[in-house]
Amino acid sequence: CLFVSCKRRLGLLRQRSQSASGLKKSIFSYLIVIDFESTCWREKNNYGQEIIEFPAVLLNTSSGEVESEFHTYVQPQEHPVLSEFCTELTGITQVQVETGVPLQICLSRFNRWVQNLQLDKRVMFPNKQQTCSASDASQKLCTFLTWSDWDLGVCLQYECKRKQLHKPDVLSSWIDLRSTYRLFYSRKPKGLNGALQDLGIQFSGREHSGLDDARNTAQLAIRMMRDGCVLKTTRSLARVSGPPTTWRGWLRFRL
């Protein structure tokens, strides 16, 4: 077992060394990085959380560049008034959510953005009817990436169920970068910022701003690929457990 472990570690070191000067070829040509912000409260309660900021950034895995962004603030319907704690944590104001759009409209706009990417950049998403290789050489395989399973496996999933909204079919699988980071570097990260700091990368922008978090998650993904990590799909909705029932449970889930 020790011999096998050493071989694996040596193989990992070689993989990192070989890719030190550039990005390792990825299974996916593009990644769409998502990081929601949602309603939250300082005190314990059993409120369902609602998305209040919906950002997504399109990352080219060959160049390491962000080529497109989607961003909108979302109106919470179940608890329309943000808590003071929520505004302090996220920087999102009551005015911003009131001038935002309901989640249903947000999802419709997000769908249009994705459809435009499919037309303009020839991105395609793997599904049960497709193999991992694009049948058309001009098509670019794409998937979603989040810091943890919370965004797509819990927050969006259960809010859509409560509100009986159709969730875009493409959001059925994704890469959990936190678990990937833990396996690749053999250490548990202390949140997104902690993961960046461990690699000598300074967080850019404001923590818990959804768009800034998504941009920083994209930068972390690029660094991991440069270190030799091959990013692969880690989760699907069928394998995600139930949601945390409290704000503190949510916090532990995300960190």
Side-chain angles (χ1 to χ4, degrees), residues 148-233:
S148 73
D149 287 333
W150 176 83
D151 300 86
L152 298 178
V154 175
C155 188
L156 181 64
Q157 171 77 348
Y158 288 94
E159 184 174 354
C160 285
K161 281 188 175 181
R162 291 197 312 273
K163 297 180 177 180
Q164 297 184 327
L165 302 178
H166 174 71
K167 180 172 53 60
D169 295 333
V170 292
L171 296 173
S172 61
S173 60
W174 61 90
I175 298 168
D176 174 358
L177 195 64
R178 181 180 64 177
S179 65
T180 303
Y181 180 102
R182 185 183 301 161
L183 290 171
F184 184 69
Y185 294 111
S186 299
R187 61 175 179 265
K188 184 177 180 180
K190 295 181 179 178
L192 173 59
N193 196 0
L196 289 164
Q197 288 180 2
D198 284 346
L199 297 177
I201 305 171
Q202 184 175 359
F203 189 97
S204 177
R206 185 190 194 283
E207 281 192 78
H208 301 300
S209 156
L211 186 56
D212 286 344
D213 282 353
R215 290 168 174 168
N216 281 276
T217 302
Q219 292 308 307
L220 178 59
I222 287 299
R223 171 57 185 274
M224 290 175 64
M225 284 188 283
R226 288 199 173 110
D227 283 351
C229 182
V230 178
L231 297 177
K232 299 178 181 179
T233 302

Side-chain angles (χ1 to χ4, degrees), residues 9 49 60 67 87 110 123 136 138 148 155 163 181 213 215 250:
R9 288 180 181 275
Q49 289 175 277
N60 184 317
E67 294 188 359
T87 296
F110 175 73
V123 305
D136 184 341
S138 69
S148 73
C155 188
K163 297 180 177 180
Y181 180 102
D213 282 353
R215 290 168 174 168
W250 168 86

Side-chain angles (χ1 to χ4, degrees), residues 50-68:
E50 297 175 272
I51 294 169
I52 54 176
E53 183 184 6
F54 193 124
V57 299
L58 180 73
L59 178 66
N60 184 317
T61 61
S62 295
S63 67
E65 298 296 323
V66 171
E67 294 188 359
S68 181

Side-chain angles (χ1 to χ4, degrees), residues 236-250:
S236 69
L237 292 175
R239 297 195 299 270
V240 175
S241 59
T245 57
T246 67
W247 149 247
R248 297 189 188 282
W250 168 86

